[in-house]
């Protein structure tokens, strides 16, 4: 690896811009691979807003000085140390570009951040485990303003890394070390952990059921916190947790007893009070944006649960219309290009 790592970030959305900022601060030579429709905006540079808890001041910081690429031909003409996948689980599977990118980027370390339970296995078709680092995103980032009237000097990407948060990564030791050291040099709170996929599987299962429950409640906290809605969500969350535990060999015994209405009744209003933006709006906007990914994740739980003989009725009740899914049909849907 060169002194200043050459890093390609795929996707310059809310997450790509945040990681890009820290990697650039670490001295990386940065480029984004963007869709043609976003290239002009990317070449102008971005505005970032770093938020603190309870801190409602939006101080703009200009983020520019990176390359903007739109084709595999441009990518293949350069040498890369790291490739970061800053797109959703569904975007990863759309269009067959991942194999092409793997061929165009030689021996680069790949960093994946996707949340679906079988994303890593899917990616291993093209990127060998010896070059694949997995990470979990612990921050919230979004296009600001989230809604009219917010005190945002100009449109940009706002992000919040909650205090004491660590951004965990796992992977082959030498490559993992390079990624974590680079991020830390840029001021990002990266940490090494044994297995990100296993560590993230159970919290992600709860979050996925929560998001489906919130959507079913029309994205309204008030409606979500009503008894029927909470009970439906918790039933689905318990099933998703058990399926994720079965799949990753993680233990669910500490988490399952916590999945009670009181947990959501306590945490949701508290989280809404300390976030420096409207949490209800963020959840609606963000999870509508990645809605296809949420549905893919729910289908994956149902399909894996069925193949393991685990209960999935609660999950299916929360995803009407997906009752006919099978492992084969879900897999072929997920892998179909386009
Ligand atoms: N934002 C957060 O707070 C947050 C927090 C935790 C986890 N995550 C996860 O992080 C992932 C990315 O989320 P995000 O908020 O950054 O989404 P985003 O703002 O939509 O950014 C993704 C960007 O990548 C683009 N893209 C998709 N496929 C591409 C390709 N093949 N080549 C180049 N660009 C491509 C998308 O284009 P289109 O607009 O055309 O789709 C979009 O501009 C998701 O899995 C999400 O669940 C996000």
């Amino acid at each position: 690896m060169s002194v200043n790592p050459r890093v390609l970030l795929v996707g310059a959305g809310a997450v790509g811009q945040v990681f890009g900022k820290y990697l650039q601060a670490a001295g990386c030579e940065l480029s984004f691979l963007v869709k043609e429709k976003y290239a002009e905006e990317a070449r102008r540079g971005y505005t970032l807003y770093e938020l603190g808890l309870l801190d409602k001041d939006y101080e703009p910081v200009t983020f520019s000085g990176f390359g903007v690429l739109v084709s595999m031909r441009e990518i293949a003409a350069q040498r890369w140390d790291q490739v970061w996948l800053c797109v959703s689980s569904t975007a990863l599977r759309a269009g067959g570009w991942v194999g092409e990118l793997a061929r165009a980027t030689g021996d680069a370390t790949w960093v994946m951040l996707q949340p679906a339970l079988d994303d890593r296995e899917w990616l291993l078709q093209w990127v060998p485990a010896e070059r694949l680092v997995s990470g979990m995103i612990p921050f919230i980032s979004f296009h600001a303003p989230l809604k009219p009237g917010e005190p945002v000097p100009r449109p940009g990407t706002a992000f919040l890394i909650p205090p004491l948060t660590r951004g965990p990564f796992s992977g082959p030791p030498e490559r993992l070390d390079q990624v974590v050291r680079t991020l830390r040099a840029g001021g990002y709170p990266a940490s090494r952990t044994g297995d990100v996929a296993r560590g993230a599987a159970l919290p992600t299962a709860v979050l996925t059921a929560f998001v489906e429950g919130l959507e079913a409640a029309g994205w309204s906290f008030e409606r979500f916190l009503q008894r029927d809605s909470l009970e439906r969500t918790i039933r689905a969350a318990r099933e998703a947790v058990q399926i994720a535990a079965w799949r990753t060999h993680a233990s669910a015994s500490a988490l399952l007893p916590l999945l009670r209405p009181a947990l959501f009744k306590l945490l949701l209003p508290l989280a809404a009070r300390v976030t420096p933006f409207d949490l209800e709006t963020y959840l609606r906007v963000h999870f509508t944006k990645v809605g296809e990914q949420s549905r893919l994740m729910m289908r994956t739980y149902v399909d894996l649960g069925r193949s393991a003989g685990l209960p999935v009725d609660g999950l299916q009740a929360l995803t009407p219309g997906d009752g006919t899914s099978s492992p084969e049909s879900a897999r072929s849907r997920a892998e179909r290009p386009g």
Side-chain angles (χ1 to χ4, degrees):
M1 197 180 71
S2 49
V3 179
N4 293 326
R6 294 179 53 80
V7 178
L8 177 69
L9 290 124
V10 183
V15 164
Q17 289 179 39
V18 173
F19 278 116
K21 167 207 146 36
Y22 286 102
L23 291 164
Q24 190 184 62
C28 295
E29 287 179 42
L30 204 68
S31 293
F32 283 102
L33 171 62
V34 301
K35 294 182 179 176
E36 187 76 55
K37 64 180 175 180
Y38 295 128
E40 201 183 315
E41 180 195 5
R43 287 189 185 111
R44 283 198 299 269
Y46 296 113
T47 296
L48 296 180
Y49 298 98
E50 181 168 3
L51 305 174
L53 276 190
L54 300 169
D55 168 11
K56 291 189 193 297
D57 286 341
Y58 282 72
E59 290 292 331
V61 174
T62 299
F63 171 42
S64 58
F66 43 76
V68 177
L69 308 175
V70 295
S71 73
M72 292 296 163
R73 193 176 44 77
E74 291 169 294
I75 289 167
Q78 302 188 35
R79 187 189 54 73
W80 302 101
D81 294 311
Q82 296 175 17
V83 174
W84 284 64
L85 297 171
C86 302
V87 300
S88 67
S89 302
T90 34
L92 202 61
R93 290 160 167 79
W97 57 273
V98 172
E100 228 185 309
L101 185 62
R103 287 188 290 278
T105 50
D107 181 46
T109 297
W110 281 49
V111 181
M112 64 169 295
L113 302 158
Q114 286 65 34
L117 209 44
D118 57 357
D119 283 334
R120 183 179 153 81
E121 190 191 321
W122 189 87
L123 206 51
L124 286 171
Q125 296 176 87
W126 291 281
V127 184
E130 309 83 75
R131 290 202 277 117
L132 186 56
V133 169
S134 302
M136 187 184 145
I137 301 166
F139 57 80
I140 288 176
S141 57
F142 55 89
H143 183 77
L146 263 177
K147 55 183 194 179
E150 280 183 333
V152 179
R154 54 182 191 266
T157 295
F159 67 100
L160 169 71
I161 304 184
L164 307 178
T165 297
R166 288 281 163 267
F169 290 85
S170 64
E174 207 175 307
R175 303 221 179 212
L176 172 64
D177 202 51
Q178 283 163 4
V179 168
V180 169
R181 269 193 293 116
T182 306
L183 280 171
R184 284 187 183 164
Y188 182 85
S191 67
R192 293 178 192 78
T193 185
D195 183 349
V196 162
R198 185 186 294 169
L202 306 195
T204 301
V206 177
L207 177 66
T208 307
F210 162 69
V211 166
E212 290 299 308
L214 188 60
E215 180 170 11
W219 304 107
S220 151
F221 285 176
E222 195 186 329
R223 282 199 291 275
F224 172 76
L225 290 174
Q226 285 169 12
R227 204 175 115 192
D228 283 1
S229 153
L230 271 182
E231 281 176 358
R232 251 195 327 270
T233 303
I234 286 168
R235 187 171 169 221
R238 295 176 72 84
E239 290 177 0
V241 163
Q242 279 164 317
I243 292 162
W246 166 79
R247 176 69 167 189
T248 61
H249 307 291
S251 169
S253 56
L255 179 59
L256 285 173
L258 298 178
L259 292 177
R260 309 221 167 273
L263 179 79
F264 290 94
K265 285 185 178 160
L266 178 77
L267 289 186
L268 202 52
L270 185 69
R273 210 162 303 138
V274 298
T275 43
F277 49 84
D278 187 313
L279 185 62
E280 199 174 44
T281 306
Y282 162 77
L283 290 169
R284 173 176 56 76
V285 170
H286 176 72
F287 286 104
T288 301
K289 179 177 77 178
V290 296
E292 269 184 54
Q293 172 182 273
S294 302
R295 284 181 282 281
L296 169 74
M297 292 170 76
M298 288 295 276
R299 284 200 302 272
T300 305
Y301 291 122
V302 169
D303 292 335
L304 288 173
R306 279 185 179 152
S307 65
L310 291 167
V312 296
D313 292 354
L315 285 161
Q316 283 182 292
L318 220 45
T319 48
D322 265 353
T324 55
S325 170
S326 70
E328 293 71 28
S329 63
R331 189 159 289 274
S332 66
R333 257 201 314 276
E335 292 179 358
R336 196 179 301 146

